[in-house]
Amino acid sequence: MPARAAADLRDLTALVEHQRALLEREDEVHRVLVRVVLDGGGLGEIAHAVAGFFGGAAVVTTTDGRVLASAGTLPEVGPPSALACFDRTGRLLVEDEPVGLRAPGGPADPARAFVRIVAGASELGVLGAFSPGPALSATDVHMLERAATVAALAVTKQQAVAAVEGKYRAEFLRDVLAGRAGDATEAAAHAASLGWDIDRPLVVVVAETDENDAETTRTAEEVHSLQDRFVRAWTQAVRARDTSVAVAGFSQEVVVLLPVPEDADTDAVLRPVGDLARVVRGDGGGGRRTFTAGVSRLVTSVADLPRAYDEALTAVQVGRQVDGGSGLSHFDRLGIYRLLALVPDSGDLRRFVVESLGELATDDVPENADLRNTLSVLLDTNLNVAETARRLFFHYNTLRYRIAKLERMLGPFTTDPQLRLTLALALRVHRMKGI
């Protein structure tokens, strides 16, 4: 045989042997992962196996980057969540990390690859592998895709189990908040069997999506998917802090029974709630819905939870009217807005504003908004001209001129306490949205 032909044959033989070895490795990976699932393993075990295959780390995330499982570490970095491709809440920046290969950029920017986890037409999440060594290859991606098919089994199983458990938990929590779960001792004992501790000082937190699902143009399937994602995001955020906290999703809201110190003031209560809301919103992640959150007063008895739930719902409703959505409100800080929200006819409120503020009720003239702000600060400072001028950065004489103009438009509010009360109330109503 000529030397050239012999060399070509050797090359072909080596190529075939290489491909055979790759296929054997992929099949072994597939067998190992299937065995993990059949033995009852979940996403954590799958991530651990993938991390071992690549000699680095692996993560499984939701479609918008929330980590469901993670395994392995990277030299000079530690866990993969310490990398720049994760935000400060621990979410993978999927909008900046497309599927496929990413070449290494240094110790803090290792080689990595991401593939989608898909079951049928449904996208279930993302599987990622991080290697501290050289750049990954297309063959590595193909192996990762094989692993993703097995991960899809685990995700589907996990979602099915979570759906059943979530429905049962939500029904029980709804009964607790409606006062239908038996006496306090029975309710607390049943909650404990679910892993929840509700017999301690708590506040009720309600997070309600701002989009009205009853009037949406989305399909029923899309609405259901978005609500599931919303519930999962809150559940993950809460359980990362304390697995004993009761959390469940209803039709368009999520309810959390958040433990707080019995002597905590309003600011101390709002801080952890605000932290949870920031984690759920993430840092600009894709596909999440805006929501408004409301917080009740502190309760120390299970029997008081229905009242606290009503308070949290009121905080959501009034907070959305005042701030226009996407806010966080505490029941104790609603003030006069709690009473205003009880007026059933918003037309009455609009007429009251127009009758009280006159032309200042509209923005037909650009100056009106500025004058309303001046009036508001004046009333808030109890007509303290010096303090108002300081807050508004006005010269004293400029403010005096504005006060005279406001009195010509509205009446002698500086000497009439009843008129001041009316104007203060009208300004509060004017601030409310959707009336």
Side-chain angles (χ1 to χ4, degrees):
M1 179 182 295
R4 175 78 178 205
D8 289 344
L9 180 60
R10 285 195 299 272
D11 290 343
L12 179 59
T13 302
L15 179 60
V16 170
E17 180 62 24
H18 178 68
Q19 291 298 325
R20 185 188 64 78
L22 291 177
L23 289 173
E24 285 184 354
R25 185 182 180 218
E26 286 186 19
D27 287 341
E28 177 61 21
V29 168
H30 195 77
R31 283 195 298 272
V32 169
L33 292 173
V34 169
R35 191 161 56 247
V36 166
V37 174
L38 293 178
D39 289 343
L43 295 176
E45 289 78 8
I46 290 176
H48 180 77
V50 172
F53 297 146
F54 288 92
V59 295
V60 181
T61 79
T62 60
T63 53
D64 62 347
R66 299 185 184 281
V67 175
L68 299 174
S70 177
T73 58
L74 296 163
E76 302 182 35
V77 175
S81 58
L83 295 170
C85 56
F86 290 82
D87 70 17
R88 62 187 178 82
T89 70
R91 184 183 68 85
L92 175 67
L93 298 171
V94 290
E95 56 272 24
D96 297 330
E97 293 289 331
V99 295
L101 295 168
R102 179 66 69 90
D109 188 27
R112 54 193 181 271
F114 297 99
V115 297
R116 292 187 177 91
I117 301 172
V118 179
S122 300
E123 187 175 339
L124 304 178
V126 174
L127 174 62
F130 303 82
S131 173
L136 300 175
S137 67
T139 302
D140 293 320
V141 173
H142 191 259
M143 186 178 73
L144 198 60
E145 288 172 343
R146 294 283 295 272
T149 62
V150 180
L153 295 174
V155 172
T156 303
K157 182 181 75 172
Q158 185 183 76
Q159 288 184 351
V161 172
V164 174
E165 290 181 347
K167 183 177 180 181
Y168 180 73
R169 288 167 177 260
E171 288 175 352
F172 169 69
L173 186 56
R174 192 185 293 276
D175 285 343
V176 170
L177 298 176
R180 300 191 301 259
D183 64 34
T185 302
E186 292 173 343
H190 189 74
S193 71
L194 298 176
W196 290 344
D197 182 0
I198 63 173
D199 190 16
R200 51 182 168 176
L202 300 166
V203 293
V204 176
V205 180
V206 172
E208 182 180 272
T209 56
D210 292 326
E211 182 179 337
N212 187 348
D213 289 341
E215 300 176 359
T216 185
T217 57
R218 302 180 190 273
T219 65
E221 182 179 346
E222 187 179 5
V223 168
H224 181 72
S225 175
L226 287 171
Q227 182 62 13
D228 280 350
R229 179 181 294 181
F230 182 58
V231 174
R232 285 198 304 272
W234 270 97
T235 302
Q236 281 184 257
V238 169
R239 288 180 177 171
R241 295 173 61 97
D242 186 347
T243 57
S244 69
V245 174
V247 53
F250 298 160
S251 60
Q252 202 169 330
E253 66 189 46
V254 174
V255 178
V256 181
L257 306 189
L258 190 69
V260 294
E262 193 166 356
D263 59 349
D265 59 19
T266 302
D267 288 331
V269 170
L270 286 176
R271 275 193 294 273
V273 180
D275 290 342
L276 287 172
R278 279 189 291 274
V279 171
V280 172
R281 290 190 174 100
D283 287 344
R288 286 186 296 280
R289 311 165 88 183
T290 62
F291 62 88
T292 298
V295 185
S296 74
R297 290 169 170 160
L298 183 144
V299 295
T300 57
S301 169
V302 174
D304 291 331
L305 286 173
R307 171 180 59 80
Y309 178 54
D310 288 340
E311 291 175 352
L313 287 174
T314 299
V316 169
Q317 175 194 354
V318 178
R320 184 176 286 126
Q321 282 188 295
V322 174
D323 299 320
S326 301
L328 170 61
S329 301
H330 192 288
F331 184 79
D332 273 341
R333 290 192 173 172
L334 299 179
I336 192 65
Y337 292 112
R338 274 167 46 200
L339 298 178
L340 295 175
L342 297 176
V343 178
D345 187 355
S346 60
D348 287 340
L349 292 175
R350 285 193 295 270
R351 284 189 291 274
F352 172 73
V353 171
V354 172
E355 291 168 3
S356 302
L357 297 180
E359 61 184 279
L360 286 185
T362 72
D363 287 328
D364 294 341
V365 178
E367 185 187 21
N368 285 353
D370 198 24
L371 286 172
R372 283 197 307 271
N373 185 51
T374 300
L375 177 62
S376 178
V377 177
L378 268 170
L379 297 176
D380 287 346
T381 61
N382 198 27
L383 301 183
N384 186 322
V385 178
E387 175 62 15
T388 301
R390 186 189 67 79
R391 291 190 188 184
L392 296 175
F393 302 101
F394 285 163
H395 188 276
Y396 186 86
N397 290 335
T398 300
L399 182 58
R400 280 294 184 190
Y401 169 79
R402 287 194 166 215
I403 292 173
K405 184 172 184 177
L406 285 168
E407 289 206 300
R408 288 195 299 272
M409 299 173 71
L410 303 171
F413 65 87
T414 58
T415 58
D416 186 342
Q418 293 301 318
L419 179 56
R420 287 200 296 276
L421 177 60
T422 298
L423 293 176
L425 191 56
L427 287 171
R428 296 296 189 277
V429 177
H430 187 278
R431 184 185 168 190
M432 295 175 70
K433 309 293 192 299
I435 63 167

